[in-house]
Amino acid sequence: MHKRRLVVLAGILLATALAAEPDKAEVISFTGKAEYQTENGWVPLSQGSFLDQGTVISTGFRSTAVLKIGDSRFTVEPLSRITISKLSESDQNYDTEMNLSTGKLKIDVKAVPGRTTAFTVRSPTATASVRGTSGEFSAAGTLTATTGVWTYTPQNRTKNINVEAGQSIQTAENGIVTAPQQEAQKKAAGSKDSSSTKTLATEESISTVNISTGSETYTSGIRQSSSLQITIIMP
């Protein structure tokens, strides 16, 4: 009877240990061509498998991989490559670090009650870190904060920049940093640029139309005089 209890207890402890898989990242799901690197080459990811610290993950065209570490989830976007550079778990904290060499990574870091949850992601141009929040980070150095407050550090700089929810920031290859701005303003600016492009395209498309005013005929190009003005309004 006593031996049976010991066997049952050992089985429970073993099952708990296997289920928890501390210091590992679990593959929740994937689509398309998603692989990880081994000593023998690249191997396809499998749902429910666990990845160790130091693992390199790569996704192909129209492919993604979703990883779970603790209660946090990370989505490796198409045409991306990341390295899980640090996986550390203790009774007091979760500490995760990733290197993003190409592509994008969606991040949803969940705070665990009674523990400190820290996450850091690095690219060739910048580093972003957070505790319990979400956003998207690209290898090009662009950070878009969805919730919470991020700490953003451009490469070769020591001063941190806070990026709040709804803001984005970018570091170019030449080291120039675009200050945090609201995504709504960014989209509005992009829409304005798009309108300008459409206007130019429209002007070019009517450049072969003959327009007569007075004694002059305008052909091949748009000209403007005191007696003629053309206004183009795009929807």
Side-chain angles (χ1 to χ4, degrees):
M1 190 66 160
H2 184 63
K3 289 183 178 179
R4 180 180 295 179
R5 289 180 180 178
L6 289 177
V7 170
V8 172
L9 179 60
I12 294 174
L13 291 175
L14 178 60
T16 303
L18 291 174
E21 287 290 349
D23 302 336
K24 291 182 182 291
E26 182 181 359
V27 179
I28 297 299
S29 64
F30 68 92
T31 59
K33 186 178 181 180
E35 303 172 310
Y36 70 100
Q37 193 172 32
T38 68
E39 295 180 354
N40 300 319
W42 291 93
V43 177
L45 290 175
S46 58
Q47 186 174 354
S49 61
F50 293 88
L51 306 176
D52 295 316
Q53 177 176 300
T55 301
V56 180
I57 302 166
S58 177
T59 55
F61 183 66
R62 293 182 179 177
S63 303
T64 61
V66 180
L67 309 177
K68 180 182 178 183
I69 302 174
D71 290 336
S72 304
R73 298 200 177 199
F74 309 89
T75 303
V76 186
E77 293 290 278
L79 298 175
S80 301
R81 180 173 292 187
I82 69 163
T83 301
I84 305 174
S85 52
K86 184 177 182 180
L87 281 173
S88 177
E89 178 186 352
S90 67
D91 293 337
Q92 289 75 34
N93 62 68
Y94 282 102
D95 192 359
T96 306
E97 294 184 8
M98 295 184 183
N99 289 332
L100 179 65
S101 54
T102 59
K104 293 181 179 180
L105 180 68
K106 284 186 178 179
I107 302 146
D108 187 11
V109 177
K110 299 294 186 182
V112 179
R115 293 191 183 186
T116 299
T117 304
F119 174 75
T120 301
V121 57
R122 293 181 172 86
S123 80
T125 58
T127 298
S129 59
V130 70
R131 292 185 179 183
T133 191
S134 61
E136 183 178 84
F137 188 70
S138 76
T142 301
L143 170 67
T144 301
T146 305
T147 62
V149 179
W150 288 75
T151 300
Y152 183 90
T153 310
Q155 191 71 13
N156 300 324
R157 299 192 185 186
T158 57
K159 184 177 180 181
N160 297 330
I161 303 171
N162 288 335
V163 182
E164 299 179 355
Q167 293 183 330
S168 64
I169 190 172
Q170 181 178 15
T171 300
E173 291 183 359
N174 58 8
I176 297 177
V177 180
T178 302
Q181 58 178 316
Q182 293 294 330
E183 275 296 289
Q185 296 175 355
K186 185 178 179 181
K187 291 180 180 179
S191 176
K192 183 178 181 181
D193 293 341
S194 176
S195 299
S196 299
T197 302
K198 290 180 180 179
T199 301
L200 291 174
T202 305
E203 290 175 347
E204 292 171 358
S205 67
I206 66 173
S207 62
T208 57
V209 177
N210 295 333
I211 304 173
S212 298
T213 175
S215 59
E216 292 190 36
T217 299
Y218 295 82
T219 305
S220 180
I222 296 177
R223 295 173 59 185
Q224 180 177 331
S225 68
S226 58
S227 59
L228 174 65
Q229 184 174 355
I230 301 175
T231 302
I232 301 173
I233 302 176
M234 297 298 297

